[in-house]
Amino acid sequence: MSTPAEYYRSLPPVSKTYGVACFMTAAALYFQLYNPRNISLDYGLVIKRFQVWRLITNFFFLGPFSFPFAFRLIIIARYGVGLERGPFDKRTADYVWMLVFGAISLLVMAVVPYLLSPFMGPSVVFMIVYVWSREFPNARINIYGLVSLKGFYLPWALLGLDLIFGDPLKPDILGMVAGHIYYFLTVLHPLAGGKFMLKTPLWVHKLVAFWGEGTQINSPVERNPHAGVAFQGRSFRLNGRTTTPPQTTQEPYNNQQQAAADGVVFRGRSHRLNGR
């Protein structure tokens, strides 16, 4: 049984970074360090006052400390990590691009006044759930220890729970739409004989390479060797000789999540599972 520190270090980089950012945003709100209105999505303020940070900051707000907030963090820790260790294993840039594409899709949908939501973080979380359900449709899921169902039906079950608890359904539905658009363009359309049109852009590869975390197979950009290093250079010993810092290598990590084989809901080749 691992300690909390070991569990934290074992998390893949993208899910860990996003989860920590959401937690820090909620913690700052708890200590009243900012007003949520200052980070919400408001196209009027973005255009008239050039407050462009609102296009990004709204995705890191999952609500104040509460049960819904904790539940969303658990979703990131379980299903976000499951995607990053499964279909997106050694494909950090592709996973980052999935989240970026989902965020862009949500921003486009928010142009319609009826679909506008001041905070799109819950929609991103639900998009993660939807993509996970399509990649692991036969995995067995237990909801509160009462209901057992296949992963394919997980988004719909969570949507029903939000309806019962009286939570708004619009963020969930928008997340499902964004997730389906991504899954259709990357998996369903190519499987039907269409062209793969959602290749990870070069600037995302450069961003991940500069970040220096994670692994991207067949990356067109070399990883930044100085990423995560506070100081690197020649050091002079007292005897006048110079030394160079030791080089470290990182062992590849592969942890595939297996789905149950009984009662197949979806079967087919995925263009993401093989990295193409």
Side-chain angles (χ1 to χ4, degrees), residues 21-40:
C22 293
F23 180 85
M24 295 301 295
T25 303
L29 176 64
Y30 180 80
F31 291 107
Q32 300 180 354
L33 298 181
Y34 70 96
N35 189 328
R37 294 181 179 178
N38 294 332
I39 66 172
S40 63

Side-chain angles (χ1 to χ4, degrees), residues 27 100 116 126 135 153 163 193 197 199 205 240 270:
V100 172
L116 176 64
F126 219 84
E135 290 289 1
Y153 303 107
L163 178 63
M197 301 179 295
K199 185 179 179 181
H205 286 285
S270 170

